[in-house]
């Protein structure tokens, strides 16, 4: 047995209010997520619009608060006006971002109506790459205005009488990226000015909406964080969120570097929050612009070859390469190839939750979080059916119990060092020392009289005796039904002796185990298994 670990939590050490949209999902029409999973008119469960009912039903009741759609690189050339009305009259287009055909079988209305059916709120991305300010204004009018204008009456004519009332609008996608169509990478001031005008005009059409402006697409960008500082200097007074994106990568088998990647997310958030505070002070503004971390993920992959002495990395060498042999792909929703992601279910769960705990620890500034692959994390699909992977349970536990106020969790545990490494010529991580094996975050729902403590054991071989010091809660009166001491605890444990085990069609991941916890004089005692996900619910 290893050295005892300890987590101390006090209700007065508050980080910030937890937004109900902190644990949302991101969807982009790449591969089969739209054509095959979301939409397949030949599927036995298909409804009158061609949507798979089995997928919708699997998402209903999960509490998924929002889905960012149809964002990603795709949207920077998407012409939404060609995707509305009768399907037989819609215009098909090429998607140069992903070299695929877009038949617009799933168009603007279908995305929003699918979200209604799935019981989630859309976070909608407008095209500010090849699109215009007028297109963005028309889109808000079509989507949210009651009626009496050309665009709002056209929506009603197309079958949706009531406004969709989309609340949150993203002003383009990764507009600093060389790979983006209509990129503003060389002109952040121009993009910031466009966002100022777009946000102003869109809000004058519907003053209840909020807008999200693009920041650097990754902390590895040469222009980070200067680019978004120049952007925000132009539009701080009209936008509400700054969008951050990051995908953490580690070498296959290096689990500690993969799960320790949450520290780099925190560095990213801290830097951007400081930049936003500087711009706020510069503008003498009473407004606080917060963060939307609306694309994120972590996964293992082999590293690319490095080229020492090659000079500063220029992404044009990658993204401006033109392959005369490359063909456009035409996706058939009824021909859905099997996709196999590296690693077992527990690796996916731990890499996902390690980032989500970092977002929870920064709940004061991160108000929207959209996980890439979040829909599959709740409902994994193949051509025929849907099943629950291990991530389903962890995602649900975050959505359901991470309510109220995020509290500081002070961790005392054994530590490890993460050496620095380079994924490729541009993506390089500095090393981190004295990283706790125990990773944790917490949520205090005072109204419900409930404290939830989330714990990851990053250690690959050691079980830790764990003490949770809750003595600070002893005499805290609750405004809800309960008051006084936290006397009841349920420990939900997700763990597998076979770390490579996978769920599959017809074989849902097993329900998390419930373990006993003793509480004595305000200290709870439990054990956390190697590479495990643990949720302690105190009431």
């Amino acid at each position: 047995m290893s050295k005892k670990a300890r987590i101390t939590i006090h209700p007065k050490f508050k980080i910030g209010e937890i937004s109900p949209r902190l644990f949302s999902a991101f969807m982009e029409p790449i591969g089969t997520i739209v054509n095959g999973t979301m939409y397949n008119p030949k599927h036995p469960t298909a409804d009158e619009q061609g949507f798979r009912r089995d997928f919708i039903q699997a998402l209903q009741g999960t509490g998924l608060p929002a889905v960012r759609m149809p964002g990603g690189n795709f949207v920077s050339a998407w012409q939404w006006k060609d995707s509305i009305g009768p399907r037989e009259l819609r215009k098909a287009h090429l998607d140069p971002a992903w070299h695929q055909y877009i038949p617009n079988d799933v168009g603007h209305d279908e995305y929003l109506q699918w979200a209604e059916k799935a019981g989630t709120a859309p976070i909608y991305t407008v095209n500010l790459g090849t699109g215009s300010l007028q297109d963005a204004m028309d889109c808000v009018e079509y989507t949210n205005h009651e009626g009496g204008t050309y665009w709002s009456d056209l929506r009603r004519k197309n079958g949706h009488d009531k406004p969709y009332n989309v609340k949150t609008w993203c002003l383009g996608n990764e507009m600093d990226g060389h790979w983006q169509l209509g990129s503003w990478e060389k002109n952040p001031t121009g993009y910031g000015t466009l966002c100022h005008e777009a946000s102003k005009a869109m809000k004058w059409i519907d003053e209840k909406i909020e807008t999200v402006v693009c920041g650097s697409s990754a902390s590895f960008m040469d222009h980070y964080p200067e680019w978004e500082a120049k952007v925000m200097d132009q539009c701080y007074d009209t936008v509400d969120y700054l969008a951050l994106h990051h995908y953490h990568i580690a070498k296959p088998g290096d689990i500690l570097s993969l799960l320790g990647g949450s520290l780099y997310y925190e560095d990213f958030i801290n830097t951007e929050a400081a930049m936003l505070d500087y711009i706020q002070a510069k503008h003498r503004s009473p407004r606080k612009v917060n963060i939307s971390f609306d694309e994120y993920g972590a996964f293992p992959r082999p590293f690319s070859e490095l080229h020492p002495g090659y000079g500063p990395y220029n992404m044009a060498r990658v993204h401006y390469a033109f392959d005369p042999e490359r063909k456009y792909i035409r996706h058939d929703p009824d021909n859905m190839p099997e996709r196999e992601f590296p690693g077992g279910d527990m690796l996916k769960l731990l890499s996902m939750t390690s980032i989500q705990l970092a977002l929870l620890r920064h709940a004061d500034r991160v108000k929207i979080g959209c996980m890439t692959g979040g829909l599959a994390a709740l409902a994994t699909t193949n051509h025929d059916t849907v099943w629950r992977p291990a991530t389903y349970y962890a995602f649900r536990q975050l959505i359901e119990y991470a309510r109220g106020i995020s509290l500081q969790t002070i961790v005392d545990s054994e530590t490890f060092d993460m050496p620095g490494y380079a994924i490729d010529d541009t993506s390089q991580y500095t090393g981190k020392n004295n990283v706790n094996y125990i990773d944790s975050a917490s949520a205090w729902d005072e109204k419900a009289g409930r404290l939830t403590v989330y714990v990851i054991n990053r250690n690959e071989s050691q079980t830790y005796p764990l003490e949770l010091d809750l003595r600070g809660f002893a005499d805290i009166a609750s405004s809800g039904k309960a008051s006084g001491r936290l006397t009841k605890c349920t420990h939900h444990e997700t763990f597998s002796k076979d770390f490579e085990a996978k769920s599959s069609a017809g074989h849902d991941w097993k329900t998390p185990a419930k373990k006993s916890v003793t509480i004595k004089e305000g200290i709870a005692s439990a054990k956390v298994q190697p590479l495990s996900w643990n949720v302690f619910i105190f009431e």
Side-chain angles (χ1 to χ4, degrees):
M1 192 74 72
S2 294
K3 175 185 174 183
K4 184 181 293 184
R6 190 180 185 90
I7 298 175
T8 303
I9 307 169
H10 195 289
K12 290 190 176 181
F13 294 127
K14 300 177 180 180
I15 295 172
E17 185 176 352
I18 301 166
S19 165
R21 295 182 295 174
L22 188 59
F23 303 110
S24 299
F26 164 59
M27 179 181 66
E28 180 177 10
I30 305 173
T32 63
I33 185 60
V34 170
N35 289 293
T37 294
M38 174 182 171
Y39 173 79
N40 180 0
K42 296 181 181 179
H43 195 272
T45 70
D47 67 11
E48 70 283 354
Q49 290 180 287
F51 295 139
R52 285 179 54 170
R53 286 192 181 94
D54 63 341
F55 187 50
I56 290 173
Q57 290 168 357
L59 293 172
Q60 290 173 338
T62 62
L64 180 66
V67 177
R68 177 173 168 251
M69 57 166 63
N73 300 345
F74 155 84
V75 83
S76 287
W78 190 47
Q79 302 175 60
W80 75 271
K81 292 174 182 176
D82 290 342
S83 77
I84 59 177
R87 280 198 175 108
E88 63 272 14
L89 299 181
R90 296 179 188 178
K91 296 177 182 178
H93 289 286
L94 296 177
D95 169 19
W98 297 109
H99 266 67
Q100 58 184 346
Y101 289 93
I102 298 297
N104 279 320
D105 291 331
V106 177
H108 176 84
D109 286 288
E110 282 79 19
Y111 282 113
L112 299 180
Q113 290 166 23
W114 178 87
E116 287 178 342
K117 292 180 178 183
T120 189
I123 297 174
Y124 194 88
T125 310
V126 297
N127 175 358
L128 284 189
T130 64
S132 68
L133 173 60
Q134 188 65 58
D135 283 334
M137 294 168 61
D138 294 343
C139 192
V140 176
E141 185 177 326
Y142 178 93
T143 305
N144 282 8
H145 195 66
E146 185 73 33
T149 69
Y150 172 80
W151 288 110
S152 59
D153 286 345
L154 183 58
R155 179 201 70 243
R156 299 175 72 178
K157 179 182 177 182
N158 288 337
H160 203 274
D161 187 62
K162 297 295 183 182
Y164 291 105
N165 292 322
V166 174
K167 178 184 179 182
T168 307
W169 296 76
C170 299
L171 303 175
N173 174 79
E174 296 184 352
M175 299 311 302
D176 70 312
H178 312 63
W179 56 87
Q180 208 66 223
L181 289 156
S183 169
W184 291 88
E185 180 261 337
K186 297 182 183 298
N187 187 7
T189 300
Y191 172 63
T193 302
L194 175 60
C195 286
H196 175 76
E197 293 300 323
S199 186
K200 177 180 71 176
M202 292 162 71
K203 288 181 177 181
W204 280 350
I205 292 170
D206 182 352
E207 299 196 21
K208 298 186 295 295
I209 68 170
E210 55 189 11
T211 53
V212 185
V213 63
C214 298
S216 285
S217 300
S219 57
F220 303 125
M221 305 294 284
D222 289 341
H223 52 241
Y224 160 78
E226 181 182 12
W227 189 87
E228 54 264 57
K230 292 180 178 179
V231 170
M232 292 305 304
D233 206 13
Q234 303 304 314
C235 63
Y236 190 91
D237 297 314
T238 58
V239 301
D240 302 282
Y241 301 94
L242 177 70
L244 305 186
H245 295 177
H246 184 60
Y247 295 95
H248 180 68
I249 297 169
K251 190 172 289 186
D254 189 354
I255 296 174
L256 289 178
S257 292
L258 186 67
L259 302 187
S262 59
L263 299 178
Y264 301 109
Y265 278 87
E266 298 199 65
D267 290 344
F268 198 180
I269 293 167
N270 288 333
T271 298
E272 297 289 45
M275 180 276 295
L276 288 170
D277 289 344
Y278 163 70
I279 299 297
Q280 180 186 10
K282 181 179 178 182
H283 282 236
R284 311 290 197 272
S285 175
R287 302 178 71 248
K288 179 73 72 175
V289 172
N290 286 311
I291 290 171
S292 172
F293 220 121
D294 49 35
E295 282 190 39
Y296 66 85
F299 49 89
R301 75 162 171 81
F303 293 172
S304 300
E305 181 183 358
L306 301 179
H307 303 90
Y310 198 42
Y313 182 78
N314 183 346
M315 294 184 78
R317 296 182 185 130
V318 176
H319 294 288
Y320 298 163
F322 305 102
D323 182 0
E325 301 301 319
R326 189 174 183 183
K327 304 294 184 183
Y328 272 82
I329 301 167
R330 192 180 301 276
H331 295 290
D332 177 3
D334 198 44
N335 183 20
M336 185 175 169
E338 296 287 340
R339 298 185 68 189
E340 187 69 27
F341 292 92
D345 272 35
M346 284 303 300
L347 182 65
K348 297 170 196 171
L349 182 151
L350 295 174
S351 60
M352 174 190 83
T353 53
S354 65
I355 302 168
Q356 291 172 318
L357 293 192
L359 302 185
L360 182 55
R361 288 192 291 269
H362 292 268
D364 57 327
R365 295 310 293 269
V366 182
K367 297 300 182 181
I368 300 174
C370 299
M371 177 187 170
T372 303
L375 296 176
L378 288 170
T380 304
T381 63
N382 60 14
H383 176 277
D384 300 312
T385 190
V386 181
W387 66 93
R388 290 178 176 177
T391 47
Y392 164 85
Y393 299 100
F395 213 152
R396 285 291 310 275
Q397 289 163 336
L398 286 158
I399 292 170
E400 184 173 357
Y401 297 117
R403 305 287 181 92
I405 301 296
S406 174
L407 298 179
Q408 294 183 34
T409 53
I410 308 304
V411 176
D412 179 16
S413 76
E414 291 185 325
T415 63
F416 63 95
D417 295 336
M418 292 195 308
Y421 61 91
I423 302 166
D424 50 37
D425 288 333
T426 186
S427 304
Q428 301 182 24
Y429 289 106
T430 56
K432 297 284 187 181
N433 295 325
N434 300 315
V435 180
N436 285 308
Y437 277 112
I438 297 297
D439 188 15
S440 183
S442 63
W444 170 228
D445 188 342
E446 187 173 6
K447 186 175 181 180
R450 182 182 68 224
L451 172 70
T452 304
V453 184
Y454 300 97
V455 177
I456 295 173
N457 181 2
R458 295 172 169 136
N459 198 304
E460 297 175 65
S461 60
Q462 298 297 328
T463 296
Y464 286 106
L466 176 65
E467 289 185 347
L468 297 104
D469 186 343
L470 311 176
R471 287 176 292 179
F473 288 85
D475 298 314
I476 298 294
S478 171
S479 60
K481 296 178 181 178
S483 63
R485 296 179 182 272
L486 299 169
T487 57
K488 178 184 176 183
C489 178
T490 305
H491 173 197
H492 300 272
E493 178 192 75
T494 304
F495 166 74
S496 176
K497 292 182 179 179
D498 179 6
F499 195 67
E500 299 299 320
K502 298 182 180 183
S503 58
S504 60
H507 299 280
D508 291 346
W509 190 266
K510 59 183 179 294
T511 303
K514 290 186 179 181
K515 310 292 279 288
S516 61
V517 176
T518 59
I519 305 176
K520 185 176 181 180
E521 297 181 352
I523 296 178
S525 300
K527 293 179 181 179
V528 287
Q529 304 266 28
L531 295 178
S532 63
W533 165 252
N534 306 270
V535 183
F536 297 91
I537 301 173
F538 296 91
E539 299 176 274

